[in-house]
Amino acid sequence: MADLEALPETVRAEIIEGTLYVHPLLSPWHSHVAGGLFYALFEAFERGSHGRAEWWLLRAPGVQAGGSPEFVPDLAGWRRERFPKLPSERFTEAPDWICEVLSQGTRSYDQCIKRPFYARIGVRHLWFVDPDARMLTVSELIGGRWVELGAYREDDVVRAAPFEVIELRLGDICRFDAWTP
């Protein structure tokens, strides 16, 4: 943790499997895409607009799980059946769902470092939003391996696990037209 605390506030850092990874802060469009998706899911699943509040959903939470003192997914969710109340500090158990927004600076890291780490610690559902390709890829961990459940374009109407009780249209939520790559 001292490695993290010694870094300037102008970087984003994580320790995964004992290795320190440092990245620049997220770009405005990266934050915008993550925020659009977060608010759509938050309204439905944390506030319960679809009938029940079933999840704790967080943007860029610091998580201490799986032997890593700090990792920070773009979006993460824990089922309330596992955690009836939010912890006072950090979650110390793996999320049930994680979403990473891919960018030129994080694409390889998210897919080659974080993806296998998320499988090892038992994250059940993993989404990758790719703003350059304007698509969403949804995977589920089955038998310790990621199984792709679907890949969706910005205009597709999506019912994606674990949030399949609502429809999402990625292009409406993430507003890809609002930024220039």
Side-chain angles (χ1 to χ4, degrees), residues 29 104 131-132 134 176 179-181:
W29 64 264
Q104 288 181 340
D132 290 335
R134 297 182 179 207
F176 294 119
W179 61 274
T180 304

Coordinates of all heavy atoms in Angstrom, one line a residue, residues 29 104 131-132 134 176 179-181:
W29 N -13.9 11.3 -22.1 CA -14.9 10.4 -22.8 C -14.9 9.0 -22.1 O -16.0 8.4 -22.1 CB -14.6 10.3 -24.3 CG -13.2 9.6 -24.7 CD1 -12.1 10.3 -24.9 CD2 -13.0 8.2 -24.7 NE1 -11.1 9.3 -25.2 CE2 -11.6 8.1 -25.1 CE3 -13.7 7.1 -24.6 CZ2 -11.0 6.8 -25.2 CZ3 -13.1 5.8 -24.7 CH2 -11.8 5.7 -25.0
Q104 N -7.3 3.2 -25.7 CA -6.0 2.8 -26.2 C -5.0 2.6 -25.1 O -4.1 1.7 -25.2 CB -5.4 3.9 -27.1 CG -6.2 4.0 -28.4 CD -5.6 5.1 -29.3 OE1 -5.0 6.0 -28.9 NE2 -5.9 5.0 -30.6
P131 N -15.5 1.9 -26.7 CA -16.0 3.0 -27.4 C -15.5 3.2 -28.8 O -16.2 3.7 -29.7 CB -15.5 4.2 -26.5 CG -15.3 3.6 -25.2 CD -14.8 2.2 -25.5
D132 N -14.3 2.7 -29.1 CA -13.8 2.8 -30.5 C -14.6 2.0 -31.4 O -14.9 2.4 -32.5 CB -12.3 2.4 -30.6 CG -11.4 3.4 -29.9 OD1 -11.8 4.6 -29.8 OD2 -10.3 3.0 -29.5
R134 N -17.6 0.9 -30.6 CA -19.0 1.2 -30.2 C -19.8 -0.1 -30.0 O -20.8 -0.4 -30.6 CB -19.7 2.0 -31.3 CG -19.0 3.4 -31.4 CD -19.7 4.3 -32.4 NE -19.0 5.5 -32.5 CZ -19.5 6.7 -32.8 NH1 -20.8 6.7 -33.2 NH2 -18.9 7.8 -32.8
F176 N -22.0 7.8 -27.7 CA -20.7 7.7 -28.4 C -20.6 8.9 -29.3 O -19.5 9.3 -29.6 CB -20.6 6.4 -29.2 CG -20.5 5.2 -28.4 CD1 -21.5 4.2 -28.4 CD2 -19.5 5.0 -27.5 CE1 -21.4 3.1 -27.7 CE2 -19.4 3.9 -26.7 CZ -20.4 2.9 -26.8
W179 N -18.3 12.4 -28.3 CA -16.9 12.5 -28.2 C -16.2 12.2 -29.6 O -16.8 11.6 -30.4 CB -16.3 11.7 -27.1 CG -16.5 10.2 -27.3 CD1 -17.6 9.5 -27.0 CD2 -15.7 9.3 -27.9 NE1 -17.5 8.2 -27.3 CE2 -16.3 8.0 -27.9 CE3 -14.4 9.4 -28.5 CZ2 -15.7 6.9 -28.5 CZ3 -13.9 8.2 -29.1 CH2 -14.5 7.0 -29.0
T180 N -15.0 12.6 -29.7 CA -14.2 12.4 -30.9 C -13.0 11.5 -30.4 O -12.2 12.0 -29.6 CB -13.7 13.7 -31.5 OG1 -14.8 14.5 -31.8 CG2 -12.9 13.4 -32.8
P181 N -12.8 10.3 -31.0 CA -11.7 9.5 -30.6 C -10.3 10.1 -31.0 O -10.3 10.9 -31.9 CB -11.9 8.2 -31.3 CG -12.9 8.4 -32.3 CD -13.6 9.7 -32.0

